């Protein structure tokens, strides 16, 4: 698919697991991604539909809609989302994100993550 020089927007029908449920550590010093983290990254790739933004710097907006009884600190959500965007090829590096806006709200019937990526 052709790159966007302006930006892309898409929705993931999941809420990212927070940082505490993203990576597990072994007693031998190794680490691995949890099943929830892997599922979220795969969902980013699927929902992004091979879209990407051709830019040197990015502005990313995240709107996290929590479902019933879901919780999370606003500063714990972005890590997995940004890693998913890189893995899906939407952005070339999370180090190139120069502006990040993260908001959360509640939608009991439709928890989701809305992602907007723009070139700066």
């Amino acid at each position: 698919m052709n790159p966007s020089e302006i930006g892309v927007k898409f929705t993931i029908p999941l809420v990212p697991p927070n940082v505490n449920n993203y990576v597990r550590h072994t007693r031998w010093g190794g680490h691995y991604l949890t099943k929830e983290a892997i599922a979220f990254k795969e969902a980013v790739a699927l929902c992004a539909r091979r879209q990407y933004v051709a830019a040197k710097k990015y502005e990313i907006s995240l709107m996290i809609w929590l479902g019933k009884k879901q919780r999370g600190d606003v500063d714990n959500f972005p890590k997995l989302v940004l890693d998913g965007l890189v893995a899906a090829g939407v952005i070339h590096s999370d180090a190139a994100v120069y502006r990040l806006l993260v908001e959360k709200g509640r939608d009991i019937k439709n928890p989701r993550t809305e992602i907007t990526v723009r070139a700066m």
Side-chain angles (χ1 to χ4, degrees):
M1 184 166 263
N2 292 332
S4 170
E5 293 180 5
I6 300 170
V8 297
K9 182 175 183 174
F10 54 95
T11 300
I12 312 299
L14 301 169
V15 172
N18 69 40
V19 171
N20 300 326
N21 297 320
Y22 175 26
V23 175
R24 294 282 186 238
H25 300 280
T26 68
R27 57 183 138 171
W28 301 281
H31 63 278
Y32 61 94
L33 294 179
T34 63
K35 290 178 186 176
E36 296 83 7
I38 292 168
F40 188 84
K41 286 176 79 170
E42 289 173 351
V44 170
L46 182 65
C47 295
R49 291 182 221 98
R50 298 165 133 180
Q51 299 179 85
Y52 64 100
V53 178
K56 292 184 179 183
K57 299 192 300 188
Y58 303 102
E59 171 183 294
I60 298 179
S61 298
L62 306 175
M63 183 63 208
I64 313 294
W65 293 98
L66 301 171
K68 186 175 186 176
K69 296 186 180 181
Q70 286 183 312
R71 299 177 9 194
D73 294 344
V74 74
D75 62 330
N76 282 339
F77 295 121
K79 177 65 177 154
L80 182 56
V81 176
L82 296 177
D83 287 350
L85 291 172
V86 172
V90 177
I91 63 175
H92 71 277
S93 171
D94 56 353
V97 175
Y98 277 71
R99 184 174 298 135
L100 177 63
L101 173 64
V102 183
E103 298 178 81
K104 70 177 181 177
R106 181 139 338 253
D107 187 339
I108 294 170
K109 294 183 180 182
N110 186 21
R112 63 195 180 280
T113 302
E114 297 172 354
I115 301 170
T116 304
V117 179
R118 293 185 185 97
M120 289 186 73

